[in-house]
Amino acid sequence: MTTQNSGTTGSVSAGSVTLVGGGPGAAELLTVAAVTALHQADVVLFDRLAPNDELALLAPGATLVDVGKRAGSHPVSQAGIEELMVEHALAGKRVVRLKGGDPYVFGRGSEEVIACHRNGIAVTVISGVTSAIAVPAAAGIPLTHRGISHAFTVISGHAPLTDNELAGLTLLGSTVVVLMGVGTLPTLSQGLLRHGMPAHMPVAIIERGFSATQRTTVSTLSSVLADAATAGVRSPAVLVIGEVVRLAFRGDAAAEDLVARAAEFAVAD
Ligand code: SAH
């Protein structure tokens, strides 16, 4: 077994890096620790999905550097981001690397931490509110509900899932949340159907959570491809696959029935 001191280690005179989870895009969902780190920053490297509208106010003393990646193009490569981060920290700056959501959920945060360690730079990570949970919530969808789903799996749609993964998700029978899933929706929906997930399983796609143009498209596993195409669904979006999607619709008869059945089930245990 090995033990390590957590948090900041390394030279005092050198700068530091703080990876800050910026939440799903609303400044109110920044943590107090995130606001404090931004306020003290000399340099902020920020992403497209990080809350960046009010950055000048949140980080009044900082040079703001946009390293955001747009789908299909990479203005600053991952290696380039890590180099910038290290370079500024070695020059004695307090660097904040502001990332969308939580730094450790598909954010390549761990790679950036390793880059700091390799260069002897003190690094801390401030957790953020992940879009995986907050964006469905913004659309009224809880990921768990007693008697309906007692687990959720967050997957990246960046690359298609393997047959084993598709079979596992189907067997588990709980809520599936997909980030970066718009491009691979065809293989995901067809794969889950092929592995026996019911065709009528509800699916919600929530685009641009917490923005003025947030939009939710609700469908079923067998119709979602056609419905997403009709609606013109685009990234960034969070997909939710599971019975919990019905809970977003107050007054819906199917949802009422589902909740009634869930309550019976819950009382039984
Ligand atoms: N670390 C981030 C996720 C990075 S992956 C987090 O914890 O939230 C980027 C993906 O997150 C996007 O493709 C999209 O699926 C999702 N995402 C992040 N913010 C979002 C938002 N405001 N609305 C919809 N999807 C969002």
Side-chain angles (χ1 to χ4, degrees):
M1 197 180 94
T2 58
T3 29
Q4 272 187 323
N5 293 327
S6 61
T8 51
T9 51
S11 148
V12 187
S13 58
S16 62
V17 170
T18 309
L19 261 66
V20 174
E28 306 85 72
L29 289 181
L30 284 167
T31 63
V32 174
V35 171
T36 305
L38 284 167
H39 199 76
Q40 294 170 345
D42 299 314
V43 179
V44 178
L45 309 177
F46 66 96
D47 270 350
R48 181 175 59 106
L49 287 172
N52 45 35
D53 288 350
E54 295 163 50
L55 259 191
L57 288 174
L58 288 162
T63 307
L64 308 178
V65 185
D66 183 356
V67 294
K69 306 177 190 107
R70 272 152 265 275
S73 72
H74 292 247
V76 182
S77 67
Q78 182 63 27
I81 293 171
E82 289 168 19
E83 268 167 36
L84 271 177
M85 216 172 62
V86 167
E87 204 175 276
H88 284 297
L90 289 178
K93 307 284 189 207
R94 279 166 301 190
V95 181
V96 162
R97 171 73 178 104
L98 181 64
K99 304 173 76 69
D102 184 273
Y104 279 168
V105 178
F106 308 137
R108 304 188 76 166
S110 43
E111 294 171 39
E112 295 170 10
V113 167
I114 290 167
C116 290
H117 286 161
R118 280 207 188 106
N119 289 278
I121 294 162
V123 56
T124 44
V125 178
I126 297 177
S127 300
V129 173
T130 180
S131 65
I133 297 172
V135 169
I141 302 170
L143 299 187
T144 67
H145 185 101
R146 200 165 147 84
I148 295 174
S149 173
H150 64 187
F152 59 88
T153 307
V154 181
I155 62 173
S156 162
H158 185 66
L161 297 188
T162 64
D163 274 325
N164 274 345
E165 288 168 334
L166 291 163
L169 287 176
T170 306
L171 267 175
L172 193 58
S174 57
T175 309
V176 179
V177 180
V178 192
L179 303 190
M180 298 177 281
V182 174
T184 49
L185 185 59
T187 49
L188 179 69
S189 56
Q190 284 156 16
L192 290 172
L193 286 168
R194 198 171 65 245
H195 284 274
M197 194 176 277
H200 55 77
M201 183 61 82
V203 180
I205 306 174
I206 308 112
E207 300 167 81
R208 301 176 294 277
F210 297 94
S211 76
T213 61
Q214 176 176 321
R215 175 173 75 157
T216 306
T217 304
V218 174
S219 183
T220 61
L221 196 55
S222 56
S223 310
V224 68
L225 263 192
D227 290 344
T230 306
V233 163
R234 294 213 317 264
S235 189
V238 174
L239 278 69
V240 184
I241 305 169
E243 294 290 348
V244 288
V245 167
R246 293 191 205 283
L247 300 177
F249 296 93
R250 262 169 282 162
D252 180 292
E256 295 296 333
D257 184 48
L258 183 74
V259 173
R261 277 188 283 130
E264 281 168 29
F265 180 84
V267 168
D269 59 28

